[in-house]
Amino acid sequence: MSSGVFEEVWDSTFDVSRRMPAVTAGLLRSGATAAKGESSGLAHGRERWLTLADRAAEATDRDTDTGASPR
């Protein structure tokens, strides 16, 4: 895979990953009682999901730590 193709795929993956917290927050703010994502193996409560969504919305690039990683 050439470098340009890798970057294109990575950018697309990053864009989708960045939008998912916003989708989840929208559902929770519209009355959903729970949300589950299968990629991390971690569970988050409603307030944590909303915090992650707010941080992701503020992120400006791939290197911004949104706090999604366990500490």
Side-chain angles (χ1 to χ4, degrees):
M1 184 181 298
S2 72
S3 175
V5 172
F6 176 79
E7 284 298 320
E8 185 177 320
V9 169
W10 177 251
D11 288 344
S12 177
T13 301
F14 176 73
D15 289 341
V16 170
S17 297
R18 185 172 174 197
R19 284 187 288 232
M20 287 311 298
V23 170
T24 302
L27 292 169
L28 291 170
R29 288 182 175 127
S30 296
T33 57
K36 182 178 180 184
E38 292 295 329
S39 65
S40 69
L42 299 173
H44 301 299
R46 181 182 188 278
E47 292 305 315
R48 180 70 172 146
W49 271 115
L50 295 174
T51 298
L52 292 172
D54 290 343
R55 288 182 181 172
E58 295 169 0
T60 57
D61 59 42
R62 289 182 276 210
D63 295 326
T64 301
D65 180 7
T66 62
S69 301
R71 298 188 197 281

